[in-house]
């Protein structure tokens, strides 16, 4: 099944750009007025780990090839288009850059090359070795929890909130996608 | 005032001060603003409409709890739960402009005629000092104000004078499966009124099917009270956010000022000729209790001793399972068919209850995809196995007003301003528990007729609240029997009204917001009359 730019646009319509309310930062009622500026990755060391956006896009595409089922095509263009709307100046975007950067560092240390040069099975092992498979997502957590949040769940959310991702499961209007009020009335095809 | 912060100082010469910018406060403010200087104070913030997609993402992602979606929690919202059953208060409310309509489901039924005469008609509960006929024109007006999509195909609904403002949403595919089973059993199905646009209405779009109605509608097709707050502000009302009222200053028979705090740490006094307290079924009672004085040592407007007493919620009853065929769930986040057939069979032994046919049974694939230790083909296989054949029914059951179910103040814990936090002491009567079993029995018979394999039952032991806070400042013609009179004006204070489900003497089993809205419009008329 072909993932299209329309799917990516639809996924963005579902979750929006990463700006606006501090998605990553869990704002509490008692936070100061402009407390939503606080977010992941304020430390200099983490900034050092951040990749530039070309490398982030290439790495996310390589990870998506592992995360997405084998019957979908067009992963590169889909991820690229989705990240057009997510890699902005927001704290969430910064969190993505840092988490991908730290994953890339791990790839270089453990496998001798960047994520983009790993085979799919190596990339799968990398994700599991950092703990992204069993971690609960947390935007402010450990590498495993942030990899789950900013990389694994970011990409899975993009896919399964899109029409094609929904149709893979048998649901052409998945939650988060504004697919109208016709499909709920239709019977199975 | 620091640069960039809004002006949160009080307004001189205000006619009306409304405390709370949820649906009741918003409707009162909107209705009075044309001819009166109105100030609205809300404890929470204004939420940026542009953030709604991000809030939707929070609703879908597993890393956020329900209170995180609208920034509920922390010291501001600390609370206790000391009753027989835990009450998850911060899952049950939103503080801020729009109030809990920001996260509500949006179901808007009228109460039945007998709900207003429970003691007389059913032998239990308390009669309201008003009847359905008193509220009927306000119900129609509330339906127009909120924008209700509905049809007149419900033979069990109370009489109405005109069609709903919008056509009802069409039944779902799964409704058609339920319909066959219900026909076999002699159970009637009918449409259900939604405060959700089935077509463009009031400059808001029709529903586009995001599927996350509860807790956030990014399209604005689901009504929320920002509609009337914005309109009131456009007509000249002053709305001050992040301004929790600390206490109501008063003399013997009048409220003189609402004292509120602002984020810069200062306190302000908002004076007005009339005060409308519209803080919902928990915070309304708490504010009155916090406003105790030598004149009112047990809490303001509490000469009857009933402030905080008779806390009620609706109880959930449900059954779910799977079929051996597709059921097409989770395309939308609202339901389209219900059954009120058994509602008016209520008596002293059995409570009124209503039944709902869900369109969102079983897991949402996108939410499921974000949990688990699998991905790739294995994840897709799990999602396919988990989605597609679920069915479920829900229902709401009335609980009786009991003095030992109450909202009080916790003497051991304070909020971010040093005020005792609310203590929800929630207790449920045996009639309600028996009625949950009765509802389960019908739900189970329908699912069995469908051929479903039943996988879960929310019965008396597993029931939970529907997040409808009611009863804590009950309405009574007798000053010794309640907090407000038939006009929702407090018996003790001449210039103080309460617009809230807190005035419900008995709750019925219908979702309360349409009744809250109708009462709010009626309160506004009474305020206008007396000013």
């Amino acid at each position: 099944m072909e993932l299209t730019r329309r799917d990516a646009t639809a996924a963005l319509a579902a979750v929006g750009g990463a700006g606006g309310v501090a998605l990553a930062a869990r704002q509490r009622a008692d936070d100061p007025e402009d407390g939503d500026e606080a977010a992941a990755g304020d430390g200099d060391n983490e900034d050092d780990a951040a990749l530039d956006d070309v490398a982030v896009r290439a790495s996310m595409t390589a990870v998506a090839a592992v995360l997405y089922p084998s019957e979908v095509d067009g992963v590169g263009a889909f991820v690229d288009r989705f990240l057009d709307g997510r890699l902005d100046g927001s704290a969430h975007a910064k969190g993505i850059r840092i988490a991908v950067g730290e994953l890339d560092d791990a790839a270089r240390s453990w496998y001798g090359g960047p994520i983009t040069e790993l085979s799919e099975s190596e990339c799968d092992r990398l994700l599991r070795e950092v703990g992204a498979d069993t971690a609960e997502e947390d935007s402010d957590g450990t590498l495993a929890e942030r990899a789950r949040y900013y990389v694994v769940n970011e990409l899975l959310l993009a896919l399964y909130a899109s029409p094609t991702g929904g149709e893979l499961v048998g649901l052409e209007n998945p939650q988060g996608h504004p697919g109208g009020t016709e499909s709920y009335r239709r019977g199975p095809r | 005032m620091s640069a960039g912060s809004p002006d949160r100082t009080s307004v001189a010469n205000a006619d009306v001060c409304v405390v709370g910018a949820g649906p009741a406060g918003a409707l009162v403010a909107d209705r009075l603003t044309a001819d009166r200087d109105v100030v609205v104070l809300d404890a929470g913030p204004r939420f940026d409409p542009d953030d709604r997609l991000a809030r939707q993402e929070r609703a879908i992602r597993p890393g956020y709890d329900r209170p995180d979606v609208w920034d509920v929690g922390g010291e501001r919202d600390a609370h206790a739960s000391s009753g027989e059953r835990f009450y998850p208060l911060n899952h049950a409310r939103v503080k801020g402009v729009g109030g809990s309509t920001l996260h509500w489901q949006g179901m808007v039924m009228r109460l039945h005629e007998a709900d207003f005469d429970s003691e007389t008609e059913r032998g239990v509960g308390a009669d309201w000092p008003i009847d359905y006929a008193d509220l009927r024109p306000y119900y129609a007006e509330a339906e127009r104000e909120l924008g209700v999509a509905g049809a007149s195909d419900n033979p069990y609904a109370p009489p109405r004078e005109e069609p709903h403002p919008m056509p009802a949403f069409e039944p779902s595919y799964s409704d058609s499966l339920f319909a066959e089973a219900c026909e076999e059993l002699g159970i009637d199905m009918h449409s259900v009124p939604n405060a959700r646009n089935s077509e463009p209405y009031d400059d808001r779009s029709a529903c586009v099917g995001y599927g996350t109605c509860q807790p956030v509608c990014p399209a604005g097709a689901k009504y929320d009270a920002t509609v009337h707050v914005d309109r009131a502000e456009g007509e000249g009302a002053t709305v001050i956010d992040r301004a929790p009222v600390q206490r109501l200053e008063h003399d013997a028979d009048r409220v003189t000022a609402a004292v509120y705090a602002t984020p810069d740490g200062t306190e302000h006094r908002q004076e007005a000729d009339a005060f409308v307290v519209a803080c919902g079924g928990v915070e309304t009672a708490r504010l009155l209790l916090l406003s105790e004085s030598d004149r009112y040592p047990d809490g303001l407007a509490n000469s009857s001793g009933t402030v905080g007493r008779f806390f009620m919620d609706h109880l959930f009853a449900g059954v779910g399972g799977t079929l051996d065929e597709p059921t097409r769930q989770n395309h939308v986040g609202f339901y389209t068919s219900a059954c009120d057939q058994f509602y008016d069979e209520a008596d002293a032994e059995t409570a009124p209850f209503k039944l709902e046919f869900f369109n969102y049974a079983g897991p949402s694939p996108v939410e499921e995809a974000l949990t688990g230790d699998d991905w790739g083909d294995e994840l897709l296989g799990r999602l396919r196995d988990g989605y597609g054949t679920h069915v479920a029914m829900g229902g709401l059951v009335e609980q009786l007003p009991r003095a030992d179910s109450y909202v009080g103040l916790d003497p051991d814990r304070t909020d971010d301003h040093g005020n005792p936090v609310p203590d929800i002491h929630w207790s449920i009567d045996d009639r309600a528990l028996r009625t949950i079993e009765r509802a389960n029995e019908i739900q189970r018979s329908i699912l069995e007729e469908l051929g479903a394999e039943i996988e879960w039952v929310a019965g008396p032991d597993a029931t939970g609240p529907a997040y409808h806070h009611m009863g804590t400042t009950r309405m009574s013609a007798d000053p010794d029997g309640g907090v407000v009179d038939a006009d929702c004006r407090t018996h003790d204070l001449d210039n103080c009204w309460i617009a809230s489900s807190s005035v419900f003497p008995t709750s019925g089993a219908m979702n309360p917001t349409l009744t809250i809205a109708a009462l709010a419009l009626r309160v506004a008329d009474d305020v206008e009359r007396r000013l």
Side-chain angles (χ1 to χ4, degrees), chain A residues 112-132:
Chain A
I115 292 172
T116 51
E117 291 178 10
L118 302 186
S119 68
E120 287 191 14
S121 64
E122 287 172 332
C123 186
D124 183 283
R125 285 213 305 278
L126 171 72
L127 292 170
R128 294 182 190 282
E129 283 161 0
V130 300

PDB file of all heavy atoms in Angstrom, chain A residues 112-132:
ATOM      1  N   GLY A 112      29.446   1.138  14.457  1.00  0.00           N
ATOM      2  CA  GLY A 112      30.509   1.683  13.628  1.00  0.00           C
ATOM      3  C   GLY A 112      30.045   2.585  12.513  1.00  0.00           C
ATOM      4  O   GLY A 112      30.822   2.878  11.589  1.00  0.00           O
ATOM      5  N   GLY A 113      28.807   3.061  12.563  1.00  0.00           N
ATOM      6  CA  GLY A 113      28.343   3.967  11.507  1.00  0.00           C
ATOM      7  C   GLY A 113      27.036   4.613  11.897  1.00  0.00           C
ATOM      8  O   GLY A 113      26.388   4.211  12.872  1.00  0.00           O
ATOM      9  N   PRO A 114      26.627   5.628  11.154  1.00  0.00           N
ATOM     10  CA  PRO A 114      25.386   6.327  11.474  1.00  0.00           C
ATOM     11  C   PRO A 114      24.156   5.463  11.198  1.00  0.00           C
ATOM     12  O   PRO A 114      24.249   4.434  10.511  1.00  0.00           O
ATOM     13  CB  PRO A 114      25.412   7.537  10.537  1.00  0.00           C
ATOM     14  CG  PRO A 114      26.249   7.080   9.376  1.00  0.00           C
ATOM     15  CD  PRO A 114      27.284   6.161   9.944  1.00  0.00           C
ATOM     16  N   ILE A 115      23.042   5.891  11.725  1.00  0.00           N
ATOM     17  CA  ILE A 115      21.794   5.142  11.541  1.00  0.00           C
ATOM     18  C   ILE A 115      21.530   4.861  10.072  1.00  0.00           C
ATOM     19  O   ILE A 115      21.071   3.778   9.688  1.00  0.00           O
ATOM     20  CB  ILE A 115      20.609   5.943  12.143  1.00  0.00           C
ATOM     21  CG1 ILE A 115      20.715   6.014  13.670  1.00  0.00           C
ATOM     22  CG2 ILE A 115      19.259   5.337  11.741  1.00  0.00           C
ATOM     23  CD1 ILE A 115      19.711   6.948  14.319  1.00  0.00           C
ATOM     24  N   THR A 116      21.822   5.845   9.249  1.00  0.00           N
ATOM     25  CA  THR A 116      21.488   5.721   7.822  1.00  0.00           C
ATOM     26  C   THR A 116      22.290   4.619   7.145  1.00  0.00           C
ATOM     27  O   THR A 116      21.943   4.201   6.044  1.00  0.00           O
ATOM     28  CB  THR A 116      21.743   7.055   7.112  1.00  0.00           C
ATOM     29  OG1 THR A 116      23.063   7.501   7.443  1.00  0.00           O
ATOM     30  CG2 THR A 116      20.713   8.100   7.533  1.00  0.00           C
ATOM     31  N   GLU A 117      23.365   4.167   7.766  1.00  0.00           N
ATOM     32  CA  GLU A 117      24.169   3.112   7.145  1.00  0.00           C
ATOM     33  C   GLU A 117      23.907   1.742   7.758  1.00  0.00           C
ATOM     34  O   GLU A 117      24.537   0.755   7.376  1.00  0.00           O
ATOM     35  CB  GLU A 117      25.660   3.469   7.246  1.00  0.00           C
ATOM     36  CG  GLU A 117      26.027   4.668   6.368  1.00  0.00           C
ATOM     37  CD  GLU A 117      27.494   5.062   6.492  1.00  0.00           C
ATOM     38  OE1 GLU A 117      28.268   4.299   7.103  1.00  0.00           O
ATOM     39  OE2 GLU A 117      27.837   6.145   5.989  1.00  0.00           O
ATOM     40  N   LEU A 118      22.979   1.686   8.721  1.00  0.00           N
ATOM     41  CA  LEU A 118      22.669   0.389   9.328  1.00  0.00           C
ATOM     42  C   LEU A 118      21.709  -0.392   8.435  1.00  0.00           C
ATOM     43  O   LEU A 118      20.868   0.182   7.746  1.00  0.00           O
ATOM     44  CB  LEU A 118      22.012   0.584  10.699  1.00  0.00           C
ATOM     45  CG  LEU A 118      22.778   1.373  11.770  1.00  0.00           C
ATOM     46  CD1 LEU A 118      22.002   1.311  13.097  1.00  0.00           C
ATOM     47  CD2 LEU A 118      24.185   0.848  11.946  1.00  0.00           C
ATOM     48  N   SER A 119      21.832  -1.711   8.497  1.00  0.00           N
ATOM     49  CA  SER A 119      20.803  -2.530   7.858  1.00  0.00           C
ATOM     50  C   SER A 119      19.526  -2.439   8.693  1.00  0.00           C
ATOM     51  O   SER A 119      19.558  -2.000   9.851  1.00  0.00           O
ATOM     52  CB  SER A 119      21.272  -3.985   7.774  1.00  0.00           C
ATOM     53  OG  SER A 119      21.348  -4.528   9.084  1.00  0.00           O
ATOM     54  N   GLU A 120      18.422  -2.871   8.127  1.00  0.00           N
ATOM     55  CA  GLU A 120      17.166  -2.807   8.893  1.00  0.00           C
ATOM     56  C   GLU A 120      17.257  -3.653  10.160  1.00  0.00           C
ATOM     57  O   GLU A 120      16.738  -3.275  11.210  1.00  0.00           O
ATOM     58  CB  GLU A 120      15.980  -3.247   8.024  1.00  0.00           C
ATOM     59  CG  GLU A 120      15.613  -2.198   6.986  1.00  0.00           C
ATOM     60  CD  GLU A 120      14.293  -2.492   6.291  1.00  0.00           C
ATOM     61  OE1 GLU A 120      13.528  -3.359   6.784  1.00  0.00           O
ATOM     62  OE2 GLU A 120      14.034  -1.871   5.251  1.00  0.00           O
ATOM     63  N   SER A 121      17.911  -4.801  10.074  1.00  0.00           N
ATOM     64  CA  SER A 121      17.987  -5.633  11.280  1.00  0.00           C
ATOM     65  C   SER A 121      18.895  -4.987  12.323  1.00  0.00           C
ATOM     66  O   SER A 121      18.649  -5.069  13.522  1.00  0.00           O
ATOM     67  CB  SER A 121      18.477  -7.042  10.927  1.00  0.00           C
ATOM     68  OG  SER A 121      19.792  -6.989  10.419  1.00  0.00           O
ATOM     69  N   GLU A 122      19.954  -4.304  11.875  1.00  0.00           N
ATOM     70  CA  GLU A 122      20.811  -3.587  12.831  1.00  0.00           C
ATOM     71  C   GLU A 122      20.046  -2.432  13.466  1.00  0.00           C
ATOM     72  O   GLU A 122      20.153  -2.171  14.668  1.00  0.00           O
ATOM     73  CB  GLU A 122      22.062  -3.057  12.125  1.00  0.00           C
ATOM     74  CG  GLU A 122      23.073  -4.150  11.778  1.00  0.00           C
ATOM     75  CD  GLU A 122      24.217  -3.631  10.910  1.00  0.00           C
ATOM     76  OE1 GLU A 122      24.010  -2.657  10.147  1.00  0.00           O
ATOM     77  OE2 GLU A 122      25.308  -4.217  10.993  1.00  0.00           O
ATOM     78  N   CYS A 123      19.284  -1.727  12.660  1.00  0.00           N
ATOM     79  CA  CYS A 123      18.513  -0.597  13.194  1.00  0.00           C
ATOM     80  C   CYS A 123      17.485  -1.104  14.203  1.00  0.00           C
ATOM     81  O   CYS A 123      17.270  -0.479  15.255  1.00  0.00           O
ATOM     82  CB  CYS A 123      17.836   0.147  12.040  1.00  0.00           C
ATOM     83  SG  CYS A 123      17.017   1.654  12.550  1.00  0.00           S
ATOM     84  N   ASP A 124      16.846  -2.226  13.878  1.00  0.00           N
ATOM     85  CA  ASP A 124      15.884  -2.836  14.807  1.00  0.00           C
ATOM     86  C   ASP A 124      16.590  -3.157  16.132  1.00  0.00           C
ATOM     87  O   ASP A 124      16.077  -2.851  17.218  1.00  0.00           O
ATOM     88  CB  ASP A 124      15.325  -4.108  14.157  1.00  0.00           C
ATOM     89  CG  ASP A 124      14.271  -4.769  15.024  1.00  0.00           C
ATOM     90  OD1 ASP A 124      14.649  -5.437  16.016  1.00  0.00           O
ATOM     91  OD2 ASP A 124      13.081  -4.621  14.727  1.00  0.00           O
ATOM     92  N   ARG A 125      17.785  -3.745  16.034  1.00  0.00           N
ATOM     93  CA  ARG A 125      18.516  -4.107  17.254  1.00  0.00           C
ATOM     94  C   ARG A 125      18.923  -2.868  18.041  1.00  0.00           C
ATOM     95  O   ARG A 125      18.848  -2.833  19.254  1.00  0.00           O
ATOM     96  CB  ARG A 125      19.764  -4.931  16.901  1.00  0.00           C
ATOM     97  CG  ARG A 125      19.467  -6.370  16.501  1.00  0.00           C
ATOM     98  CD  ARG A 125      20.588  -7.320  16.938  1.00  0.00           C
ATOM     99  NE  ARG A 125      21.900  -6.927  16.452  1.00  0.00           N
ATOM    100  CZ  ARG A 125      22.373  -7.189  15.236  1.00  0.00           C
ATOM    101  NH1 ARG A 125      21.614  -7.851  14.364  1.00  0.00           N
ATOM    102  NH2 ARG A 125      23.576  -6.819  14.875  1.00  0.00           N
ATOM    103  N   LEU A 126      19.336  -1.833  17.323  1.00  0.00           N
ATOM    104  CA  LEU A 126      19.728  -0.586  17.985  1.00  0.00           C
ATOM    105  C   LEU A 126      18.560  -0.047  18.824  1.00  0.00           C
ATOM    106  O   LEU A 126      18.733   0.320  19.994  1.00  0.00           O
ATOM    107  CB  LEU A 126      20.144   0.461  16.940  1.00  0.00           C
ATOM    108  CG  LEU A 126      20.378   1.876  17.487  1.00  0.00           C
ATOM    109  CD1 LEU A 126      21.664   1.923  18.312  1.00  0.00           C
ATOM    110  CD2 LEU A 126      20.443   2.900  16.359  1.00  0.00           C
ATOM    111  N   LEU A 127      17.390   0.008  18.211  1.00  0.00           N
ATOM    112  CA  LEU A 127      16.226   0.541  18.935  1.00  0.00           C
ATOM    113  C   LEU A 127      15.925  -0.290  20.172  1.00  0.00           C
ATOM    114  O   LEU A 127      15.592   0.238  21.236  1.00  0.00           O
ATOM    115  CB  LEU A 127      15.001   0.580  18.016  1.00  0.00           C
ATOM    116  CG  LEU A 127      15.066   1.584  16.861  1.00  0.00           C
ATOM    117  CD1 LEU A 127      13.897   1.353  15.894  1.00  0.00           C
ATOM    118  CD2 LEU A 127      15.051   3.020  17.366  1.00  0.00           C
ATOM    119  N   ARG A 128      16.048  -1.593  20.033  1.00  0.00           N
ATOM    120  CA  ARG A 128      15.756  -2.468  21.172  1.00  0.00           C
ATOM    121  C   ARG A 128      16.863  -2.384  22.222  1.00  0.00           C
ATOM    122  O   ARG A 128      16.596  -2.454  23.436  1.00  0.00           O
ATOM    123  CB  ARG A 128      15.564  -3.909  20.696  1.00  0.00           C
ATOM    124  CG  ARG A 128      14.320  -4.072  19.827  1.00  0.00           C
ATOM    125  CD  ARG A 128      14.078  -5.507  19.378  1.00  0.00           C
ATOM    126  NE  ARG A 128      13.033  -5.564  18.368  1.00  0.00           N
ATOM    127  CZ  ARG A 128      11.714  -5.474  18.628  1.00  0.00           C
ATOM    128  NH1 ARG A 128      11.295  -5.342  19.873  1.00  0.00           N
ATOM    129  NH2 ARG A 128      10.829  -5.515  17.644  1.00  0.00           N
ATOM    130  N   GLU A 129      18.121  -2.233  21.764  1.00  0.00           N
ATOM    131  CA  GLU A 129      19.219  -2.159  22.726  1.00  0.00           C
ATOM    132  C   GLU A 129      19.180  -0.867  23.557  1.00  0.00           C
ATOM    133  O   GLU A 129      19.590  -0.874  24.717  1.00  0.00           O
ATOM    134  CB  GLU A 129      20.564  -2.284  21.991  1.00  0.00           C
ATOM    135  CG  GLU A 129      20.850  -3.737  21.616  1.00  0.00           C
ATOM    136  CD  GLU A 129      21.898  -3.881  20.516  1.00  0.00           C
ATOM    137  OE1 GLU A 129      22.411  -2.858  20.029  1.00  0.00           O
ATOM    138  OE2 GLU A 129      22.183  -5.022  20.136  1.00  0.00           O
ATOM    139  N   VAL A 130      18.675   0.213  22.979  1.00  0.00           N
ATOM    140  CA  VAL A 130      18.535   1.421  23.806  1.00  0.00           C
ATOM    141  C   VAL A 130      17.281   1.338  24.671  1.00  0.00           C
ATOM    142  O   VAL A 130      17.082   2.160  25.569  1.00  0.00           O
ATOM    143  CB  VAL A 130      18.506   2.733  22.983  1.00  0.00           C
ATOM    144  CG1 VAL A 130      19.771   2.907  22.182  1.00  0.00           C
ATOM    145  CG2 VAL A 130      17.274   2.823  22.111  1.00  0.00           C
ATOM    146  N   GLY A 131      16.424   0.358  24.397  1.00  0.00           N
ATOM    147  CA  GLY A 131      15.243   0.168  25.235  1.00  0.00           C
ATOM    148  C   GLY A 131      13.992   0.854  24.729  1.00  0.00           C
ATOM    149  O   GLY A 131      12.990   0.961  25.456  1.00  0.00           O
ATOM    150  N   ALA A 132      14.010   1.312  23.473  1.00  0.00           N
ATOM    151  CA  ALA A 132      12.861   2.048  22.951  1.00  0.00           C
ATOM    152  C   ALA A 132      11.648   1.150  22.729  1.00  0.00           C
ATOM    153  O   ALA A 132      10.538   1.637  22.553  1.00  0.00           O
ATOM    154  CB  ALA A 132      13.231   2.744  21.642  1.00  0.00           C
TER     155      ALA A 132
END
